Amino acid sequence: MTARPLELHPDRALPTDSNQRTVARTIYDQIKALPLISMHGHVDAQVFAENQPFADPAQLLIVPDHYVCRMLYSQGMRPEQLGIPRVDGGATETDSRAIWRHFCSNWKLFRGTPSRYWLADELGSVFGITEAPSADNADALYDQVAAVLADATFRPQQLLDRFNIELISTTDPAGSQLEHHASLAEQGLGDRVLPTFRPDAVVYLDRADWQASIEALGQASGTDVASYSGYLAALRERRQAFVRTGGLATDHGHFLADTTPLPQQVAAELYQRRFAGGEVSPAEVHAFAAHMLYQMAAMSCEDGLVMQIHPGVLRDHHSGVFAAHGQDKGFDIPFATEYTRALRPLLDAFGMDPRFRCIVFTIDETVYTRELAPMAGVYPAMRLGAPWWFIDSPESMRRFFETATETAGFYNMSGFVDDTRAYCSIPARHDLYRRMSAGYLSRLVTEHRLGEDEAIETAIDLAYNLPKLAYQSRQA
Amino acid sequence: MTARPLELHPDRALPTDSNQRTVARTIYDQIKALPLISMHGHVDAQVFAENQPFADPAQLLIVPDHYVCRMLYSQGMRPEQLGIPRVDGGATETDSRAIWRHFCSNWKLFRGTPSRYWLADELGSVFGITEAPSADNADALYDQVAAVLADATFRPQQLLDRFNIELISTTDPAGSQLEHHASLAEQGLGDRVLPTFRPDAVVYLDRADWQASIEALGQASGTDVASYSGYLAALRERRQAFVRTGGLATDHGHFLADTTPLPQQVAAELYQRRFAGGEVSPAEVHAFAAHMLYQMAAMSCEDGLVMQIHPGVLRDHHSGVFAAHGQDKGFDIPFATEYTRALRPLLDAFGMDPRFRCIVFTIDETVYTRELAPMAGVYPAMRLGAPWWFIDSPESMRRFFETATETAGFYNMSGFVDDTRAYCSIPARHDLYRRMSAGYLSRLVTEHRLGEDEAIETAIDLAYNLPKLAYQSRQA
Amino acid sequence: MTARPLELHPDRALPTDSNQRTVARTIYDQIKALPLISMHGHVDAQVFAENQPFADPAQLLIVPDHYVCRMLYSQGMRPEQLGIPRVDGGATETDSRAIWRHFCSNWKLFRGTPSRYWLADELGSVFGITEAPSADNADALYDQVAAVLADATFRPQQLLDRFNIELISTTDPAGSQLEHHASLAEQGLGDRVLPTFRPDAVVYLDRADWQASIEALGQASGTDVASYSGYLAALRERRQAFVRTGGLATDHGHFLADTTPLPQQVAAELYQRRFAGGEVSPAEVHAFAAHMLYQMAAMSCEDGLVMQIHPGVLRDHHSGVFAAHGQDKGFDIPFATEYTRALRPLLDAFGMDPRFRCIVFTIDETVYTRELAPMAGVYPAMRLGAPWWFIDSPESMRRFFETATETAGFYNMSGFVDDTRAYCSIPARHDLYRRMSAGYLSRLVTEHRLGEDEAIETAIDLAYNLPKLAYQSRQA
């Protein structure tokens, strides 16, 4: 059987209507080459600091990409077959070619998904592949990708230039010593690869790694964290350390968007009880997390770090997979999330504060017209984050513009923010957003709701200026 | 810098696809000149009765339009800078030109919003402006608008003709003496400017103005409202007074859509406790409001007033702005609202009653396919209201037709109902709806799901006949 | 007045854009003639077994179709006028021509609804009607339809061939003796008309027919159902009987999607209390139903029956209509339904089990991107059901593909599953889905997100292969 071609059409993801496509192309041409601002990624700082070559095609593109793995699980493949490590150290597939073959043989499963779009783009644009993956050509494609990976110019730091990345942020725990960022600074990349402060592990009292994370926080900050006030002081100190290392933002992966503060003595008692190894109820866990989100906002008013909020995901939905393979294995499932009441304490206290900025994300699309756009459209401190995770996709982006713009306007959006562990997908993701924004703007133009010159200006803002602005301290 | 033109393209807001646009234009041509039925507005009756000239461009178009103000706040402008009065009488901007300049300088913020669409339409169609607002031309535009406002034909009553308004309704508290409507009747406008009975202030026991509103209700009705039965009698009397003054409808801005009746003695106890200055809990406030919604439906069966229900908004989200500037300042935020169970008591009791009609509105779009269209599609007493407030916008209207029509059909819709404080935006709003309905119907035609003659007939019904019918007493 | 023509355009329901329509037509041409797999219908087994002629146009097309009746109610018609039987045996319309005339006179009410689409298709394709129904031609159309019904080839069994139905399933209570399926087997149709096991009446402890249904279950299974263990044994026995009779699936019309199991002794106590005529609270009713959903999944692991879950409908919303006319009269209203937490116990226990398959349906569209697609996109046991009931419609199907595909992919969908009591609407429903899937796939092609050959392959899978696969036991 002849292989299907892997086509990367220059008009891909642009609107079908020919009048609209003409306008969309004009807009896209003005933004396609703009540098990438990538302020919410999950590439490890160590990867940049050590700048080692990538292992092999499967270890780079398949194993760490939970979008890809989950789709293969959905058709009966087991994590072990894809080389996903077991917590107990048990055997899993070690032959990267075998893993790669599973992926190639199942290429059709990805039809209509953003993974298909990104992977086709990466394979074509980055690796020069011209055939669609299949069982037949799996080995040939493996060799072709492996050859590119072996090239000396294909190292993490060199890719920053190749990918046109102006700014990229890693995500780092509150107790990080930021040693890799120190190394990056020595290598002259301190202004280009920034840390982001992520305190979830020290904020969620029920996390398995809470104790260890608290200890790391104490050590990194040189602060005694046995008391609640010590804990707050340690957080303040680490936030300052992040600021000194170039950090611009914090990131909060909360279950709920709740931001209700507790009376200080209640919060202190809870913290100290947990510190002493006592029991905390699930309700207390959530109440403390909400309280700390409020505290983090208060600290942002002091130090200018931009606050990112990512709520609404039930992590590790399948207990068996979690027990066998740990977190982030594709079994995180969104649920309906309330923002209007949940964010009220935070916005009531800091929403009009000229020192504060928060960017609010959601995976629950229903809240765009109903809750998030109305709040982003009035509170100066709030920006509406780009569609995230499962909804970082063509159809969802289209809906995002259709549902959020009318009430929030374009200028209360963060512009594009990618959220990936898959380093090589970053250009494809930004490019897709640029195409989708050009598509939406082109409809406003052809429906005579916006001038073409305004549309181009707006597209440039969404792709480049707004993300830079959104992550800029308002105190700068 | 040359000013951008303010283009009002004849095909604006019509679909992009050329086949569809041709059909849409044909439909739109048949409806564009139909008279306007404007049965849910917030223009003050006094404005019509006194028929004074409007003050100036900023006081007419900016200060009272919370869509416009909220967008300016979202980018850091303070209410004081826009001349929003302070509750404490503190200083705010008094130079209308300065306020107007803020608006013009920030024109780009409105890109993609309905405000931009309406304002462009008003500025162009009503005021003859041909340049897009900007910092540069702000003063010139101010003068141009001010010149139109000074014209003797630009008075509230004269605009009724100019705007082609056949029927307009004001919104009046339950305790209104309806003196402005009496004056309008004397001036021969009693059949054209109608009152709408809005009892929220006497129904929500926690309103700051409850006591004052109850006193006004007692006075206007000449009834002793110390007892619950007196309260009900007073409401009945005022409803009759509204009917005598030409009123066709009541309007209910509730927090929840709940309509569960209380046992009469529980309701009476609650009312009388509150009347005596006693405490009522938040749960009791909501229970009483739900109970009264049910009572209002029962009274509608007696007097034929059509009941409008507008739930699902958390008012005054920011306590600081509320304390400084009061209600309706752009800080009202929607939230998820349940209707299937909430409306059940009301529909179970009156939904099949041939004397009753209610029109149900929502800002929570998710309920159209799931709850409201299924109920409107079976209960003869219920009509589905047009998209309201934040969703009175091109994209939301498109979605409204796409999500509500298949289950409710067109003939269980209210047709277009505008909801504005901005008098001059009324023609633009109706025109936009007409364009969007023509757009949706044109797709049904080009997809061969509806004949063009049927589409035209339906468009006329949506624009004119259905709104008239929806507000007609079923007892007439 | 000249009658409007009843046009069945060959391109109906295909996209408007001409490039897209060309591709859609190419795809549709490849799937339009594929056999129908109709695995979730509500045509009575007796109708097939006895193969009697249909009574008359109104009794075939109007009276049993609650989509049609509900639309007529919504404009003030009473059930009695449409010949809907009364529980008390009271008088209702008996003149089928009169009922038919009501329908024809109100044809315009159906504009924009799927009923209009299906009925136009049926009237045109099946009955050869060429004029749109109206008051004027009602009698003539009645005669024309009646003449077709009188034809000997227009019997239920003969229609299987005419409609190109390869496989059709009925829905049968747990206590069914399956006598009609036995008769069908004798008539050589045992492999073509299959039973589906529907245990709702023995699972919901508050059903009016619970006691009678439990007795039927006991009798049919030859098991003493006085104890909870006897009840479980009886269910197991009947499931086996369904398997022996060709059954492939179970079906569960639950209020909530909750699947939390109870401790066995709690479940046993509840069952036995109810069996003894004791009181059970609403909370207990739902807890037992959730528990039994979990048990049914466990039994599916044993016997391979595919589990269909249909939650989220509040039945019999109007108590008066229910009291007068009973269930399924068009007054069932959907409500917001939670799946992420609700299905977790079931998916945690059986979601990775290679013996299990469930197909999950919803009428709450908001859950597609947020909950169902993420779960179907990772759990091998789960398939995402087609849009169901009110959302089995052109616009909702379009949205279904737009919201579910990106996360679930096409290959975790059930493909098309119709859900009808209206036998003659089956071909129209499948045809509409095929057109809508061709329409969505054509957009992926014209946006260069999918090859045309891939699109055709996918369309064939959605129309034919996936429904067959979804209902195939994974143990076969």
Side-chain angles (χ1 to χ4, degrees), chain B residues 132-150:
Chain B
S134 71
D136 292 338
N137 66 15
D139 281 320
L141 298 194
Y142 186 92
D143 293 335
Q144 205 173 337
V145 172
V148 174
L149 297 186

Side-chain angles (χ1 to χ4, degrees), chain B residues 210-426:
Chain B
W210 187 82
Q211 193 70 42
S213 303
I214 284 288
E215 277 164 30
L217 173 66
Q219 264 181 335
S221 63
T223 308
D224 179 0
V225 292
S227 72
Y228 174 68
S229 60
Y231 166 68
L232 291 186
L235 288 168
R236 266 198 189 86
E237 193 287 329
R238 288 325 290 155
R239 293 176 61 110
Q240 286 298 342
F242 275 69
V243 171
R244 286 192 304 269
T245 319
L248 297 174
T250 68
D251 187 25
H252 306 272
H254 276 225
F255 188 68
L256 303 174
D258 187 13
T259 58
T260 312
L262 297 171
Q264 293 295 326
Q265 74 276 23
V266 173
E269 189 280 324
L270 252 173
Y271 176 85
Q272 281 148 206
R273 184 181 351 136
R274 175 68 183 85
F275 191 85
E279 289 285 306
V280 287
S281 72
E284 288 173 327
V285 167
H286 292 297
F288 189 77
H291 170 77
M292 286 308 298
L293 211 46
Y294 185 98
Q295 299 308 317
M296 290 290 112
M299 290 186 197
S300 278
C301 290
E302 298 167 10
D303 59 27
L305 287 174
V306 171
M307 179 177 215
Q308 300 171 94
I309 306 180
H310 289 88
V313 186
L314 196 160
R315 307 271 172 178
D316 312 316
H317 196 263
H318 192 269
S319 60
V321 172
F322 175 67
H325 302 280
Q327 292 188 310
D328 296 326
K329 291 298 167 287
F331 285 81
D332 299 338
I333 311 289
F335 57 88
T337 311
E338 202 281 332
Y339 290 83
T340 299
R341 281 169 273 211
L343 293 180
R344 197 184 192 185
L346 184 145
L347 291 172
D348 203 34
F350 313 113
M352 303 293 282
D353 193 313
R355 300 169 303 167
F356 182 58
R357 165 144 302 148
C358 65
I359 308 177
V360 182
F361 295 82
T362 191
I363 321 188
D364 179 355
E365 294 184 289
T366 67
V367 303
Y368 283 129
T369 39
R370 190 179 60 210
E371 305 178 34
L372 292 185
M375 289 191 284
V378 72
Y379 280 109
M382 178 171 166
R383 287 288 173 275
L384 182 55
W388 162 55
W389 201 330
F390 294 120
I391 61 174
D392 177 8
S393 64
E395 302 294 341
S396 290
M397 280 195 240
R398 185 195 318 267
R399 284 194 296 275
F400 171 75
F401 286 118
E402 290 173 357
T403 56
T405 307
E406 293 186 322
T407 299
F410 292 110
Y411 290 90
N412 291 309
M413 293 177 178
S414 66
F416 188 56
V417 181
D418 70 82
D419 169 47
T420 186
R421 286 158 216 284
Y423 186 24
C424 292
S425 74
I426 290 178

Side-chain angles (χ1 to χ4, degrees), chain C residues 6 8 120-131 141 144-145 148 154 162:
Chain C
L6 186 79
L8 290 184
D121 195 326
E122 285 170 69
L123 291 173
S125 307
V126 181
F127 297 101
I129 305 287
T130 58
E131 286 182 9
L141 297 194
Q144 206 173 335
V145 174
V148 174
F154 209 88
R162 182 163 176 165

Side-chain angles (χ1 to χ4, degrees), chain B residues 17 340-341 344 348 352 369-370 374 377 379-380 402 406 411-412 443 446-447 449 453-454 457-458, chain C residues 4 9 13-14 16 21 70 74-75 111 114 116 316-319 334-335 364-365 393-395 398-399:
Chain B
D17 178 78
T340 299
R341 281 169 273 211
R344 197 184 192 185
D348 203 34
M352 303 293 282
T369 39
R370 190 179 60 210
Y379 280 109
E402 290 173 357
E406 293 186 322
Y411 290 90
N412 291 309
R443 187 154 66 77
T446 55
E447 289 181 10
R449 293 157 61 192
D453 55 342
E454 294 177 292
E457 200 178 278
T458 306
Chain C
R4 281 180 163 129
H9 195 283
L14 295 184
T16 292
R21 180 168 291 183
R70 75 195 312 276
S74 76
Q75 294 279 320
R111 288 176 189 167
R116 153 72 182 248
D316 312 316
H317 196 264
H318 192 269
S319 60
F335 57 89
D364 178 355
E365 293 184 290
S393 64
E395 302 294 341
R398 185 195 318 267
R399 282 194 299 274

